[in-house]
Amino acid sequence: MEIGFVGLGRMGKNMVLRLLAGGHRVVAWNRSSEPMAEVIAKGATAARDFADLVAQLTPPRVVWVMLPAGDVTEKTLGDLAPLFARGDILVDGGNAHYKDSRRRAAELAARGLMFVDAGTSGGIWGLEIGYCLMVGGERAAVDRIAPVLATLAPPDGFLHVGGPGAGHFVKMVHNGIEYGMMQAYAEGFELIRASDYAPDLGQVAHLWNQGSVVRSWLLELAERALRADPELARLDDYVEDSGEGRWTVTESIERAVPLPVLTLALQMRFRSRQSESFAGKMLAALRREFGGHAVRAAESASPGKQAGR
């Protein structure tokens, strides 16, 4: 199959390489030249700009956009749409908000264009093992790009989960669950580390993946990290979030669906970014005031963090 591809970041570049290995013709564009050179060396066709990319594709065209959610995706889709003809398909494989995807699908449909939102999971390992694809959009559009989806995904690794926005909705929930799983593993390993025992945490992670009910790919990654750095001494405990966890919690509030684990996992990421907690100081102050409890004098912030970071 022939496809245009915009965005060769950590995931996008590997997706193009996987498509090329699967025999697809890929016309690629990226803002920076280094990843372009890599995919061209593997057989991709370079595009000078969006107009050139569209011109090199045979109608009806398919272009996959793999960019960060927000303004950059909004602008890119807006710039591409006027270059398309009726029946062409735009695919957004980034982590867009599902409500934005529903809106974009309607706007593109008014032009006679089709839109597919493809929630994509697999990270930097997707080139080797494939990408899990949660796909939303009209059935006709999804069926047309099925050869591409089948190449990108492992066996049984893609699913049409509903109409416009459904793919990004399911991916949003997927990432919220991921927050909860990561937090549970992190807390469990911290408790083992704080105990009177001293098992090798990398070996524990390996053990749990041998038939245990908590085995998972995340646990395999935990083993990898702990074997490379048993004390995780080279890492700061600052944890960013990329948006989907917030969207998941917001959605739970809007729909009155309780998500206590996912919500607390998100809150713990916020806490990780504080060099010190004013709320914690407030608790200490209140205990001192009502009960005369001893308090600790303030210490300097840890070197790896800054207030408000």
Side-chain angles (χ1 to χ4, degrees), residues 96-290:
H97 196 287
Y98 80 96
K99 292 180 180 179
D100 288 334
S101 296
R102 284 202 303 213
R103 169 181 55 80
R104 289 164 181 159
E107 292 170 352
L108 292 169
R111 295 172 173 261
L113 309 178
M114 295 193 233
F115 179 79
V116 173
D117 51 287
T120 306
S121 181
I124 60 176
W125 297 90
L127 174 60
E128 177 183 350
I129 66 175
Y131 299 88
C132 178
L133 300 169
M134 297 142 265
V135 187
E138 298 302 324
R139 170 62 71 179
V142 175
D143 286 347
R144 270 186 45 200
I145 67 169
V148 164
L149 301 175
T151 298
L152 289 172
D156 295 327
F158 77 90
L159 180 67
H160 182 207
V161 293
H168 282 150
F169 182 86
V170 174
K171 178 56 163 51
M172 175 188 76
V173 177
H174 164 282
N175 281 29
I177 293 170
E178 177 186 296
Y179 280 36
M181 291 175 66
M182 292 171 67
Q183 184 66 32
Y185 283 135
E187 292 178 10
F189 280 107
E190 181 166 34
L191 183 58
I192 293 174
R193 185 173 179 273
S195 73
D196 295 333
Y197 307 103
D200 182 296
L201 296 182
Q203 290 181 359
V204 171
H206 180 77
L207 171 68
W208 284 351
N209 261 322
Q210 313 311 309
S212 161
V213 295
V214 299
R215 65 188 183 276
S216 74
W217 184 54
L218 279 175
L219 198 55
E220 292 177 18
L221 297 178
E223 177 188 351
R224 177 187 174 93
L226 289 165
R227 289 196 183 280
D229 184 4
E231 293 296 319
L232 303 181
R234 295 190 290 272
L235 296 177
D236 189 8
D237 58 346
Y238 178 98
V239 185
E240 191 56 85
D241 72 285
S242 54
E244 297 87 348
R246 299 187 190 208
W247 299 342
T248 304
V249 171
T250 299
E251 190 74 19
S252 78
I253 295 169
E254 292 177 356
R255 297 181 182 272
V257 175
L259 301 183
V261 172
L262 276 57
T263 301
L264 287 173
L266 175 65
Q267 295 292 332
M268 286 300 294
R269 294 197 178 197
F270 298 157
R271 178 63 183 91
S272 78
R273 300 170 208 166
Q274 295 180 303
S275 59
E276 57 186 28
S277 167
F278 184 81
K281 290 184 176 184
M282 195 69 199
L283 289 172
L286 289 171
R287 289 187 78 246
R288 179 186 60 192
E289 295 301 322
F290 75 67

Side-chain angles (χ1 to χ4, degrees), residues 1-2 17-26 151:
M1 184 173 172
E2 182 182 76
L17 293 174
R18 190 170 172 93
L19 288 171
L20 292 169
H24 298 275
R25 177 176 182 261
V26 181
T151 298

